[in-house]
Amino acid sequence: MTMTSRERFAAMLNHKAPDRMPVYPLVNSISRQSLGITYEEWTKDINKCAEAIIRTTDELELDCLCTLVDLSVEAADFGQELLYFTDKAACPDPAHRVVPTEGDYDKIPRIDPAKGKRMSEHVELCRKLVKARGKDKPVVAFVFGPLGIVSMLRGQQEMFMDLYTAPDEVKKGVEIVSDVLCDWIDQLCATGIDAVMFDTLYASRSIMSAEMWDEFEGVYMTRIAERVRSHGCAVMIHNCGQGAYFDEQYERMKPVLFSFAHPPQGCADMKEAVEKYADKMILMGTIDPGWFMTATPETLKARVEEELAVFGPSKRYVLSTGCESPVCLPPPDGGYGEGVPLQIKAGYPHPALRPRFPRTRGQSFPERGRAAEGPVSLSRARQRPAPSSKNGAGRPFPAFPPPMPRLYRYFSCPALPPPRSRLRIAHDAPQAAPRLAPSG
């Protein structure tokens, strides 16, 4: 019997076998290609953003929806001026910083997220995605960690220096941002989302020591994560740095899922990461998205098979990229239109032909406490014009990247046999039952 995406995640949370591994490559901003719009338009128009995410999720048969738009959502409402682009994510304007000197961290405003333009729009985005696809697929809100937000307001280089020269001042800023994030969590969780994924950008050895991260962000993440669980939602983490600090972050946040790109600190390879952490939390990743630009369908298929050979036996794995897919990845053959879903589905192994795990009792998800919403009615069913041979900057695309359907169709490879152990690991900290947990 075929599971819904929601049932697959519930099975993994309970150390039971899904019918196949969930698939969710981080195709967030690239979804704008389904409407033929620029990155700036996709960022600023929340209706088009939701429509693009929903359409791409349906066309690529993905198992999850995530609200990753860019890392400047929170900073913008704290007053940071941004630069917008046609073909890449918005970023802070370095000429106008909210925190111009090391003595200005305590001047970061304690804003009401409901009154901020981008944060309130992000809440609305969650609401639209939950209404459209939340009955069958988990919806995950994406939130930048407090230290990352502070760095957007001050500038990374300047903040890193301040960690040494004015550590107490930096902590004042992180404290203010953490308070605001807790308020925002309340508003996000009220939309009916299933989880919040935090980007703990600096929690890896490629940025700073584990002790420094714990001092300047970890201690604040504990209460933020507890705020999420108080609403019955799950905590997830994304960190694509080299040597991410799994132990320290698990201790502080108790996540149910960790999205990553490289072996964690203390692990020689991915196999060791599975052995150490798959019983504690679901692992998600770890295909290098930049590699897509030179991959062929054959090499990508082989890469996916390698991933499944390492992670599949744990039954606690989401097949994905280690970070967001390249925003400049060329569109599908012929652009997006009526023929694209057929092109994509033709590349996937047909659901009826996928090997499945045997069903066990207690795997089904509880229905949400509301009536099914039915299919979403998109405001405009526009076809994308024939794809341009140039990117947003006017430069021609390189000739070698294969079209997107040829890449993503291989993400639907079947899962591997059940693992040897079905031991359930209980979290140390008491928490409300997450919406992703089955009632049985």
Side-chain angles (χ1 to χ4, degrees):
M1 181 176 177
T2 302
M3 290 181 176
T4 65
S5 300
R6 180 169 291 281
E7 290 171 337
R8 291 186 187 107
F9 276 92
M12 292 195 302
L13 286 171
N14 286 279
H15 293 257
K16 297 177 181 178
D19 59 344
R20 64 170 175 82
M21 291 299 178
V23 178
Y24 182 66
L26 295 170
V27 290
N28 300 82
S29 60
I30 202 173
S31 69
R32 76 191 191 282
Q33 293 184 2
S34 67
L35 300 181
I37 59 180
T38 65
Y39 205 127
E40 181 176 5
E41 187 177 2
W42 180 78
T43 299
K44 291 182 175 181
D45 190 323
I46 206 65
N47 292 317
K48 292 179 182 178
C49 183
E51 182 179 348
I53 292 174
I54 293 166
R55 180 179 292 192
T56 303
T57 299
D58 293 345
E59 289 179 348
L60 299 182
E61 299 180 350
L62 305 181
D63 286 297
C64 180
L65 297 95
C66 180
T67 65
L68 170 57
V69 177
D70 58 57
L71 298 183
S72 301
V73 171
E74 302 88 349
D77 285 355
F78 280 103
Q80 178 60 51
E81 295 185 23
L82 302 180
L83 302 175
Y84 290 90
F85 307 92
T86 60
D87 60 347
K88 61 182 179 181
C91 67
D93 183 350
H96 301 89
R97 293 291 187 184
V98 173
V99 183
T101 72
E102 67 179 28
D104 293 321
Y105 285 98
D106 60 349
K107 297 178 183 177
I108 295 175
R110 292 182 179 271
I111 62 172
D112 178 357
K115 297 179 180 179
K117 185 179 187 300
R118 295 207 65 189
M119 295 174 83
S120 63
E121 287 180 344
H122 208 80
V123 172
E124 183 61 23
L125 175 61
C126 290
R127 187 175 290 111
K128 288 178 178 294
L129 298 183
V130 169
K131 181 178 180 180
R133 295 294 180 268
K135 181 176 182 296
D136 296 321
K137 297 179 185 291
V139 178
V140 180
F142 195 91
V143 175
F144 204 10
L147 189 61
I149 296 172
V150 169
S151 73
M152 302 291 258
L153 306 178
R154 172 67 169 133
Q156 290 183 339
Q157 177 175 307
E158 292 78 7
M159 188 196 74
F160 290 153
M161 291 298 296
D162 295 343
L163 295 179
Y164 288 99
T165 62
D168 292 337
E169 296 300 315
V170 177
K171 291 176 183 178
K172 291 178 183 178
V174 178
E175 180 72 30
I176 293 171
V177 171
S178 298
D179 291 342
V180 173
L181 286 184
C182 285
D183 294 338
W184 195 34
I185 293 300
D186 296 340
Q187 298 166 22
L188 290 169
C189 293
T191 65
I193 60 171
D194 298 282
V196 177
M197 178 176 283
F198 293 99
D199 187 338
T200 54
L201 179 64
Y202 301 131
S204 71
R205 70 167 183 262
S206 56
I207 304 292
M208 62 179 60
S209 70
E211 295 76 16
M212 177 174 280
W213 173 80
D214 191 61
E215 178 183 356
F216 287 97
E217 185 170 65
V219 293
Y220 304 94
M221 289 307 308
T222 298
R223 66 183 176 94
I224 295 173
E226 289 172 352
R227 193 67 162 258
V228 174
R229 284 190 286 268
S230 71
H231 292 282
C233 295
V235 174
M236 299 179 178
I237 296 175
H238 171 77
N239 188 302
C240 54
Q242 295 274 358
Y245 301 130
F246 274 39
D247 290 332
E248 289 78 6
Q249 294 186 79
Y250 184 82
E251 181 64 27
R252 285 295 185 185
M253 303 169 66
K254 298 295 188 294
V256 302
L257 180 148
F258 204 117
S259 165
F260 65 113
H262 305 283
Q265 173 72 3
C267 293
D269 51 30
M270 294 300 185
K271 182 178 179 181
E272 185 176 353
V274 173
E275 294 172 352
K276 290 183 65 174
Y277 299 109
D279 275 342
K280 291 183 176 181
M281 51 192 170
I282 297 168
L283 302 179
M284 175 174 164
T286 58
I287 297 177
D288 179 6
W291 172 75
F292 277 179
M293 299 303 294
T294 58
T296 66
E298 293 73 24
T299 58
L300 180 59
K301 184 176 182 179
R303 183 73 177 86
V304 168
E305 290 173 350
E306 292 174 5
E307 291 285 298
L308 292 174
V310 173
F311 293 95
S314 70
K315 282 196 314 245
R316 307 261 291 167
Y317 175 59
V318 179
L319 183 60
S320 178
T321 47
C323 195
E324 188 177 9
S325 299
V327 298
C328 56
L329 195 68
D333 290 333
Y336 280 88
E338 293 299 325
V340 171
L342 296 178
Q343 293 176 29
I344 295 172
K345 291 176 183 178
Y348 279 78
H350 190 275
L353 302 179
R354 293 174 185 153
R356 284 178 167 76
F357 292 126
R359 273 295 283 254
T360 58
R361 293 186 179 182
Q363 285 183 235
S364 61
F365 256 101
E367 289 295 326
R368 287 182 178 271
R370 61 175 181 273
E373 300 288 348
V376 66
S377 177
L378 299 178
S379 60
R380 285 180 289 181
R382 300 189 299 169
Q383 285 197 1
R384 178 180 171 85
S388 170
S389 61
K390 296 182 178 181
N391 62 18
R395 296 186 295 273
F397 281 118
F400 50 77
M404 191 163 68
R406 296 181 186 173
L407 292 173
Y408 287 112
R409 63 188 182 184
Y410 295 114
F411 275 90
S412 199
C413 289
L416 298 180
R420 295 181 293 275
S421 170
R422 296 192 178 189
L423 177 65
R424 182 181 177 94
I425 303 297
H427 286 166
D428 297 333
Q431 54 187 291
R435 294 190 179 109
L436 287 175
S439 56

